Amino acid sequence: MRVVAFAVLASFACSKHEEPAATRLPPSPPVRGAVGDTDLRVMLAEVASAKACEMMRGQLRGLRAQGNEPLTTGILWIRDCKITNDGTNVTFQLGGYGWQWNEKREKKAGATFELRQYVKFAVDATIPGSLDIAYDRHDHVVSMWFSPTQTPKIEFTPTGKVDVDAKGAWSSVIGGISSVFASSPDEQGRSKAEKLGTEQFENELARGLTIAIDLCTGYQRFTIGRPQKGSLGPPNPGESTSRPIEIQPGGLFAFGAFEAPSGMHVIAHSDGPIRVGVACADGVFPVVEAFAQDQAQPPIAMLAQQDIDGTGELAVKAQRCKVAVVVRSLAQRKVTFDWQRPPREIAQSTGGSAIHCARKQTVFSDGDGGRDRPLGRAAARRQ
């Protein structure tokens, strides 16, 4: 039958008895107008925003030290994420808990105000802005840029006790006027922390948000700020050794949540004793919330754990749950550490390459103009 059908079609194509030219319809020109382009952008914005919250919700992000961008001194857990669309205009609503080490020294009224502790907080942010999609044909990187159109609205609330000046000099000064202003020294400290925290989040989130995907490798990165077209942006802790973390005595850090369908490997360097573990993220979130509220922390069922002072490595088998890396301080002093998951493993965990690229897929940029290098021989074998 297929041969007969093909012959019939061919006979019509070769027939000399063609229809009159007047009955022919001219071919429709392709739509390349501004309206079609606008509609496409709206569609992409709606699809992208629907996926953006999935990538942000449940993320444990490092907070940068003020004046030292590569250094991480705190954590933000993005517990809630909601997005409202109006064409390409979008409003992000983010909420969560976190903490950051703060050292503040200020002289006032003849006394010295000193703050040296983890300021723990709850934060809710409403960020109106617009979404735009870009694609770099050379590097094959898709970027979703969210650019605020107004100053973000921040509700920053300290959740733990804010100690001011352990020596008592500052407390005596503000304590003397507390009856006038109906506020205790601790409330004065909370007010100071609230002001600093609100300003910091306003400045950070005013830079925008970016989700970038390398289609050649599948490597995805969510960052605060707007990297240039074709760039994944600066790496997050765990993606590069160029992102050190400082942990203070009694401190806790958590990073994730990560897909681990083929397992998870962690290589860490430290200049002091720390305890590093990997656990299902759902078991880590309650601990993060309890730590942020100065409450008793429930135990974590670790998939792997190791005390490290120098260099160490952890590995877990394939997991159905998303996993998180948990680090606790074991020293009575500040400890600096970094950790890295092999870049190829990061890319493969999210599905691997989406397109075939002529360029080598074994090179992963760290976003700082260099390239990620595995830590240790074991990591090199996995690369």
Side-chain angles (χ1 to χ4, degrees):
M1 292 295 294
R2 290 183 180 179
V3 175
V4 174
F6 181 81
V8 172
L9 291 173
S11 66
F12 276 106
C14 297
S15 174
K16 295 182 180 179
H17 301 286
E18 298 180 355
E19 295 182 5
T23 62
R24 290 182 178 177
L25 296 176
S28 299
V31 178
R32 296 193 179 97
V35 174
D37 182 66
T38 300
D39 291 342
L40 178 60
R41 286 181 175 275
V42 170
M43 183 201 73
L44 291 175
E46 291 177 350
V47 172
S49 62
K51 295 298 181 181
C53 264
E54 293 181 16
M55 293 185 65
M56 295 182 191
R57 188 182 296 111
Q59 288 294 301
L60 293 153
R61 314 299 300 178
L63 294 177
R64 305 173 307 162
Q66 289 186 325
N68 189 356
E69 183 169 330
L71 182 65
T72 295
T73 56
I75 285 294
L76 171 65
W77 172 36
I78 304 177
R79 183 188 60 184
D80 302 314
C81 178
K82 296 179 182 178
I83 294 181
T84 304
N85 281 80
D86 181 13
T88 57
N89 295 320
V90 174
T91 298
F92 272 88
Q93 292 178 289
L94 305 176
Y97 289 100
W99 55 88
Q100 186 162 30
W101 183 257
N102 202 311
E103 295 188 17
K104 189 74 175 179
R105 185 180 180 90
E106 181 177 318
K107 291 185 177 181
K108 189 173 184 179
T112 300
F113 167 79
E114 289 185 340
L115 178 64
R116 285 177 47 84
Q117 70 176 93
Y118 282 110
V119 174
K120 302 173 181 180
F121 58 85
V123 63
D124 289 283
T126 301
I127 323 168
S130 60
L131 280 176
D132 202 1
I133 310 295
Y135 179 63
D136 187 284
R137 290 184 290 179
H138 177 265
D139 291 317
H140 304 287
V141 172
V142 178
S143 300
M144 186 193 80
W145 292 318
F146 173 74
S147 303
T149 54
Q150 301 176 28
T151 301
K153 180 182 178 182
I154 307 296
E155 294 183 12
F156 183 94
T157 307
T159 54
K161 182 179 179 181
V162 181
D163 294 322
V164 289
D165 188 31
K167 296 180 180 179
W170 175 254
S171 298
S172 65
V173 172
I174 62 175
I177 61 173
S178 62
S179 59
V180 177
F181 293 97
S183 61
S184 68
D186 184 60
E187 288 173 336
Q188 293 277 351
R190 289 171 60 86
S191 177
K192 192 81 172 180
E194 182 177 345
K195 181 177 184 294
L196 292 172
T198 300
E199 290 177 352
Q200 181 175 351
F201 272 95
E202 284 181 351
N203 293 335
E204 284 287 316
L205 295 176
R207 300 166 58 219
L209 306 170
T210 299
I211 294 175
I213 304 173
D214 185 332
L215 298 184
C216 294
T217 62
Y219 202 103
Q220 302 178 10
R221 185 172 287 165
F222 162 51
T223 59
I224 295 176
R226 182 165 179 165
Q228 64 182 3
K229 181 179 176 181
S231 170
L232 291 174
N236 299 308
E239 294 182 321
S240 171
T241 59
S242 67
R243 296 291 160 175
I245 303 115
E246 280 186 356
I247 187 168
Q248 302 288 338
L252 168 71
F253 276 80
F255 305 94
F258 306 109
E259 300 282 357
S262 300
M264 174 94 172
H265 297 84
V266 174
I267 307 98
H269 279 161
S270 171
D271 66 4
I274 55 175
R275 179 165 294 164
V276 183
V278 179
C280 287
D282 286 342
V284 175
F285 295 151
V287 176
V288 170
E289 184 171 355
F291 186 83
Q293 298 190 58
D294 279 340
Q295 298 175 351
Q297 302 162 37
I300 303 176
M302 291 293 182
L303 301 170
Q305 183 171 277
Q306 183 178 344
D307 291 351
I308 297 174
D309 188 353
T311 300
E313 182 174 349
L314 285 79
V316 298
K317 297 180 180 179
Q319 300 296 319
R320 293 183 178 180
C321 65
K322 288 186 176 182
V323 300
V325 175
V326 182
V327 181
R328 291 185 183 272
S329 170
L330 298 178
Q332 296 303 312
R333 61 175 178 83
K334 176 184 70 178
V335 173
T336 302
F337 70 95
D338 61 65
W339 72 276
Q340 188 177 30
R341 185 183 189 186
R344 178 177 294 279
E345 185 178 286
I346 296 175
Q348 292 176 342
S349 70
T350 55
S353 60
I355 62 175
H356 175 73
C357 300
R359 65 181 172 89
K360 293 183 179 180
Q361 298 185 23
T362 56
V363 176
F364 295 83
S365 171
D366 66 5
D368 288 338
R371 294 177 178 176
D372 280 331
R373 291 174 293 180
L375 300 175
R377 295 181 180 179
R381 288 195 298 271
R382 285 192 298 276
Q383 292 294 300

